[in-house]
């Protein structure tokens, strides 16, 4: 018989869970609203959760779990992407908090929710219940589904809370700039509240002044969950932010220079989370402490047939990571780059991620990426797009030549006004190729 896990860890009816300007929703009120919503949810096995407001997303996500439904989490609200995901799960319905284009699926648009306090204990969810199916970005093909059991999400939240919060002497408040449909956003803003003892701001601030306002509405100690793209914007805004206990970053490489600038401007340590959609978050590091990462103590990593596999109490079986990992005697690891990013030029090997890191270390470079326009091979030619106001392409190349082997200097290297990053800071390959082709023109 399957064991159960609570919907909210350490349930305290009066404790805050959702924070917004001028009001607080307690855990009991949240459950009361979820119970009312569960009775209105479409009678389908799968629901596509397109809610943009984090509070609405959490209500729909929890109500679906309560009903035994699975939430489908596409990485984009683009109708074509939603159709692709829905086609994999016939009969599904959409739950949204803002009007969405008619794509031939039943829709429930959330309005005001009844927040009458739930009178009982926190409901329990079967640990094997598939609570969510997250999808890879699909930048190189059809989005790939990654089912997540309630145990997977709940236990990961506990490990993350243990790493960042310790004994939780005070209940931390989360402000997140990342969407909850992404695994990082789901784990670090939604599940860290439900399964980690935090409360979370219901919105998704984007611009620096929005982030400052959101931080000002939540009580200390504050956690800022964000990405390198947002960090660059926040650090360069010259705004004064409320005290932040810790900044957490993920989804893209973070340079030491940007981390140092952010720590100086935000007066808070900047930490990174390493993970993948397949296994969830696995390791953390303070960026300025060096290149090594520290895995959660409950995890075990081993190498088999050239791949690194991770095992833990939240996984049904070991999962192969997409990265090449070097283990050290002290338990830390070094990421050598994604297996798909490893290239060989003139008999020498390098990682595109590491080369991008070298590019970002060039003084004057604000943003950049090194990538492979065509299929890899022994004669692979790498390219780069870089944002470096006031610098020429030759100046960037000369500076980069001091940091990398000459065979890995990107040619062509194009200076552009900005990179085509999406809301998560990721760079769709098709848009990189188009921008590179424009440069040739």
């Amino acid at each position: 018989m399957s064991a159960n896990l609570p919907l909210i860890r350490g349930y305290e009816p009066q404790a805050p869970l959702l924070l917004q300007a001028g009001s607080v929703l307690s855990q009991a009120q949240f459950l009361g609203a979820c119970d009312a919503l569960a009775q209105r949810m479409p009678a389908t096995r799968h629901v596509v959760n397109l809610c943009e407001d984090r509070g609405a997303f959490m209500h729909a996500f929890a109500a679906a779990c309560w009903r035994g439904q699975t939430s489908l989490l596409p990485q984009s609200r683009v109708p074509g992407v939603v159709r692709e995901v829905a086609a994999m799960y016939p009969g599904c319905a959409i739950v949204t908090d803002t009007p969405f284009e008619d794509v031939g699926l039943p829709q429930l648009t959330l309005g005001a929710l009844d927040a009458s306090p739930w009178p009982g204990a926190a409901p329990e969810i079967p640990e094997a219940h598939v609570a969510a199916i997250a999808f890879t970005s699909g930048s190189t093909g059809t989005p790939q589904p990654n089912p997540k059991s309630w145990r997977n999400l709940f236990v990961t939240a506990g490990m993350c809370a243990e790493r960042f919060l310790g004994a939780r002497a005070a209940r931390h408040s989360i402000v997140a700039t990342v969407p909850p449909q992404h695994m990082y956003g789901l784990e670090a803003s939604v599940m860290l509240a439900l399964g980690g003892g935090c409360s979370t701001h219901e919105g998704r601030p984007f611009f620096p002044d929005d982030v400052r306002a959101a931080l000002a509405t939540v009580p200390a100690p504050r956690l800022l969950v964000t990405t390198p793209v947002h960090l660059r914007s926040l650090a360069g805004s010259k705004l004064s932010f409320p005290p932040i206990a810790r900044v957490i970053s993920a989804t893209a490489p973070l340079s030491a220079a940007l981390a140092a600038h952010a720590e100086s401007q935000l007066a808070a340590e900047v930490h990174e989370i390493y993970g993948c959609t397949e296994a969830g978050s696995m390791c953390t590091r303070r960026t300025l402490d060096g290149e090594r990462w520290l895995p959660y103590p409950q995890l075990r990593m081993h190498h088999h047939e050239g791949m690194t596999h991770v095992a833990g109490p939240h996984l049904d079986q070991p999962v192969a990571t997409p990265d090449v990992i070097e283990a050290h005697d002290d338990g830390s690891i070094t990421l050598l780059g994604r297996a798909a990013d490893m290239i060989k030029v003139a008999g020498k090997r390098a990682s595109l991620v590491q080369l991008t890191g070298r590019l970002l270390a060039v003084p004057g470079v604000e943003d950049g990426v090194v990538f492979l326009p065509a299929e890899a091979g022994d004669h692979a030619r790498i390219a780069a797009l870089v944002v470096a106001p006031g610098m020429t392409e030759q100046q960037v190349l000369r500076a980069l030549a001091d940091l990398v082997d000459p065979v890995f200097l990107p040619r062509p290297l194009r200076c552009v006004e900005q990179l085509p990053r999406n809301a998560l800071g990721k760079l769709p390959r098709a848009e990189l190729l188009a921008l590179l082709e424009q440069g040739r023109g």
Side-chain angles (χ1 to χ4, degrees):
M1 183 176 181
S2 175
N4 296 328
L5 291 169
L7 185 59
I8 299 178
R9 187 191 300 270
Y11 178 58
E12 301 176 39
Q14 301 306 315
L17 184 69
L18 271 174
L19 309 171
Q20 55 188 6
S23 66
V24 174
L25 199 70
S26 70
Q27 292 183 3
Q29 289 173 313
F30 174 78
L31 290 182
C34 288
D35 176 52
L37 177 57
Q39 299 174 39
R40 297 170 47 208
M41 292 284 279
T44 59
R45 180 180 176 185
H46 299 94
V47 292
V48 185
N49 191 332
L50 298 182
C51 295
E52 296 190 278
D53 178 90
R54 201 172 313 275
F57 175 92
M58 287 181 64
H59 280 101
F61 175 69
C65 284
W66 203 333
R67 281 179 57 105
Q69 295 172 303
T70 297
S71 295
L72 305 178
L73 308 180
Q75 296 228 346
S76 169
R77 283 174 56 96
V78 173
V81 173
V82 175
R83 288 191 191 97
E84 280 187 315
V85 168
M88 302 179 197
Y89 304 92
C92 66
I94 289 174
V95 179
T96 181
D97 57 345
T98 56
F100 187 73
E101 180 178 320
D102 183 3
V103 291
L105 299 175
Q107 290 190 31
L108 171 63
T109 301
L110 304 186
L113 298 174
D114 179 11
S116 301
W118 174 249
E124 294 194 336
I125 310 298
E127 64 173 23
H129 169 62
V130 180
I133 298 178
F135 293 84
T136 54
S137 62
S139 57
T140 57
T142 303
Q144 296 300 305
N146 287 273
K148 299 294 172 182
S149 69
W150 183 247
R151 174 167 60 93
N152 181 292
L153 297 174
F154 193 83
V155 174
T156 300
M159 293 189 293
C160 185
E162 181 182 321
R163 171 60 53 85
F164 287 123
L165 310 180
R168 296 196 298 275
R171 183 180 298 275
H172 286 65
S173 303
I174 300 168
V175 171
T177 65
V178 291
Q181 284 83 1
H182 186 269
M183 272 304 299
Y184 169 47
L186 179 65
E187 287 187 358
S189 66
V190 174
M191 290 307 304
L192 201 53
L194 296 176
C198 294
S199 54
T200 192
H201 183 269
E202 70 172 8
R204 183 187 155 199
F206 185 81
F207 296 106
D209 201 47
D210 297 332
V211 175
R212 178 177 64 172
L215 289 167
T217 65
V218 304
R222 303 175 180 90
L223 293 177
L224 177 60
V225 174
T226 190
T227 68
V229 172
H230 281 101
L231 266 184
R232 183 177 294 109
S233 177
L234 295 173
S237 69
K238 305 296 177 63
L239 295 175
S240 177
F241 293 89
I244 301 170
R246 179 170 284 139
V247 176
I248 302 175
S249 175
T251 74
L254 176 63
S255 69
L258 176 55
H261 184 44
E263 288 204 0
S264 174
Q265 296 300 309
L266 302 178
E269 289 187 359
V270 176
H271 291 249
E272 293 179 86
I273 289 179
Y274 161 67
C276 60
T277 305
E278 296 81 3
S281 63
M282 295 179 280
C283 310
T284 67
R285 70 174 179 182
R286 183 188 179 196
T287 313
L288 295 187
D289 286 345
E291 293 186 350
R292 293 190 178 187
W293 298 78
L294 186 62
Y296 295 145
Q298 297 90 338
L299 303 186
R300 296 293 178 267
M301 294 186 177
H302 67 278
H303 299 274
H304 179 65
E305 297 182 350
M307 299 286 291
T308 299
H309 293 74
V310 60
H314 62 310
L315 299 172
D316 293 330
Q317 58 188 10
V319 173
T321 70
D323 296 89
V324 179
I325 293 175
E326 179 184 1
H328 303 288
D329 292 340
D330 63 358
S332 65
I333 65 168
T334 299
L335 301 179
L336 302 181
R338 299 223 155 185
D341 288 342
M342 300 301 292
I343 59 172
K344 183 179 180 182
V345 180
K348 299 180 179 181
R349 294 185 181 275
S351 159
L352 293 174
V353 172
Q354 290 181 329
L355 292 174
T356 295
R358 297 288 188 267
L359 177 62
L360 293 173
V362 171
V365 169
E366 295 183 356
D367 199 5
V369 62
V370 177
F371 64 104
L372 203 62
E375 292 297 323
D378 198 46
H379 301 288
R381 299 298 296 175
I382 58 177
L385 296 172
V386 60
V387 179
M391 297 182 72
T392 67
E393 293 167 356
Q394 287 304 315
Q395 287 174 327
V396 176
L397 275 173
R398 282 197 296 269
L400 185 60
D402 291 334
L403 302 175
V404 303
D405 188 296
V407 302
F408 295 119
L409 282 177
R411 299 183 188 279
L413 180 146
R414 310 288 187 205
C415 285
V416 297
E417 291 186 4
Q418 66 179 34
L419 296 185
R421 294 190 181 275
N422 62 20
L424 290 166
K426 295 183 178 294
L427 293 166
R429 177 178 173 78
E431 296 189 33
L432 289 179
L433 294 175
L435 197 55
L436 185 65
E437 194 62 31
Q438 290 176 17
R440 287 195 179 99

